[in-house]
Amino acid sequence: MRVQAAFASGQNRPIEVADFDLDGPRRGEVLVEMKAAGLCHSDMSFFDGSRNWTDYPIVLGHEGAGVVREVGAGVTSLSSGDHVILVGIPECGSCPACRSRKTNLCDQYFRQVDRRPLSRDGRSVRAFCELGTFSPFLTVREWQAARIRPDVPLDAICCLSCAGATGVGSAIFTAKVEPGSSVVVYGLGGIGLNVVEGARIAGATTIIGVDTNPAKEETARRLGVTHFIDPRSMADVVGAVRDITRGGSDYAFECVGSSAILSQAVESTRIGWGTTVTIGILPGDQRVDLRPRALQEGRRLMGSYLGNIKTRSELPLLADWYAEGKLHFDDLISHRIGLADIRAGFHLLASGEARRVVVTF
Ligand SMILES: [Zn+2]
Ligand SMILES: [Zn+2]
């Protein structure tokens, strides 16, 4: 099959759209017709110079939702016509990690596979996360497609693949925020706003949002933020959080990807039990820089990958929450574009002007 897909051809070169050939599903694989795909900062890292990558070209996109159109031999959990969310972390269901309640990081995720169903001019090419959702059709492993109920709009919930799972999951599944607790969220982009959603659903009563873009305040307050701090007009953000929460927040979430902000996040939590979840990806040259006593005083620092949500058995629950009106993904999507406009879409995302940009097919 011939498809038009968006890809990176090298570092510091703009994202392009071109024709590729796509193989049909082999054993254990399915063909998915894409309906919507979200743009994420980690796609940008393949062409903005921030990632050490050499295997170009690579088809981008790791957020997305669509409809199964064909199943390969041996596929047992999906049928043609199923609505699915594509997921970067597989859930094979049988490895030690999948059998454990402690993690969502399936062992298959770390196993080097060289599946290349896409090719260009006769040369096979990689796809980001073994997905490459910026294409109208994908061939993926059964383990990387999570079946969801058919009555939710796919363009609204496609963000579940990455930002939605990461944000909502970090609050509910990683930190396990409790009713009545206080939360501070550093960075109110697509992930930070989803942390706000998760914190609100978990019953947090004080939710402080910290962001340098005052335009984010309105949406953030609609989703549950009770206090908004613009660090450019507040010299002592940590002091302000401690004042609002009378001594420090119960939970902090770092969604920017900055060592300095991660340190602030930890310092703004309460002595004794304050828990910080690190979500933003620190640039390769940055190390976690903490005052040792900050942790000795009983605070905790946790990592989270895709919100600790098991991608096929638990993630579909979030689609149910959307259908029930508990999650407001419609508020998160600021722009819907066609694939031909993807370069402009990434400009919007990079400028901070957009909350979430979604390609619809
Ligand atoms: Zn992402
Ligand atoms: Zn597994």
Side-chain angles (χ1 to χ4, degrees), residues 1-10 13-23 56-59 116-126:
M1 173 190 290
R2 203 87 171 139
V3 293
Q4 271 211 322
F7 70 103
S9 59
R13 298 173 71 165
I15 188 166
E16 297 169 55
V17 176
D19 282 346
F20 290 82
D21 290 305
L22 176 67
D23 292 344
Y56 291 101
I58 176 167
V59 173
R116 298 186 181 222
L118 285 158
S119 56
R120 190 173 175 222
D121 303 327
R123 192 186 141 213
S124 61
V125 301
R126 289 294 295 267

Side-chain angles (χ1 to χ4, degrees), residues 118-309:
L118 285 158
S119 56
R120 190 173 175 222
D121 303 327
R123 192 186 141 213
S124 61
V125 301
R126 289 294 295 267
F128 185 23
C129 286
E130 307 297 328
L131 296 173
T133 55
F134 299 149
S135 166
F137 286 89
L138 310 182
T139 301
V140 298
R141 293 181 294 174
E142 176 184 18
W143 298 330
Q144 288 192 256
R147 186 175 61 221
I148 52 159
R149 55 197 286 168
D151 59 339
V152 289
L154 295 171
D155 62 333
I157 57 150
C158 70
C159 73
L160 274 180
S161 297
C162 178
T166 302
V168 176
S170 294
I172 296 178
F173 292 77
T174 308
K176 301 188 171 73
V177 170
E178 297 121 336
S181 49
S182 56
V183 167
V184 55
V185 182
Y186 288 85
L188 297 172
I191 287 177
L193 289 173
N194 273 301
V195 173
V196 171
E197 291 257 86
R200 189 200 67 243
I201 290 171
T205 43
T206 302
I207 305 178
I208 305 165
V210 183
D211 200 289
T212 52
N213 182 354
K216 302 267 177 74
E217 179 171 358
E218 194 203 322
T219 309
R221 284 194 183 270
R222 205 162 57 233
L223 295 178
V225 160
T226 55
H227 302 72
F228 181 84
I229 296 175
D230 179 349
R232 291 173 312 175
S233 57
M234 174 76 65
D236 182 10
V237 175
V238 171
V241 173
R242 285 188 183 155
D243 282 348
I244 295 167
T245 56
R246 298 201 180 90
S249 64
D250 298 313
Y251 298 96
F253 296 85
E254 201 283 342
C255 311
V256 178
S258 151
S259 169
I261 296 175
L262 180 59
S263 160
Q264 279 183 27
V266 172
E267 295 287 351
S268 58
T269 61
R270 192 191 186 286
I271 286 176
W273 64 65
T275 298
T276 301
V277 182
T278 165
I279 303 172
I281 296 167
L282 299 189
D285 57 342
Q286 289 190 17
R287 304 254 163 215
V288 174
D289 179 21
L290 288 179
R291 186 175 59 89
R293 268 195 80 79
L295 297 183
Q296 283 159 6
E297 286 167 349
R299 298 182 181 89
R300 292 184 295 169
L301 175 61
M302 303 178 77
S304 176
Y305 206 120
L306 216 64
N308 286 72
I309 299 182

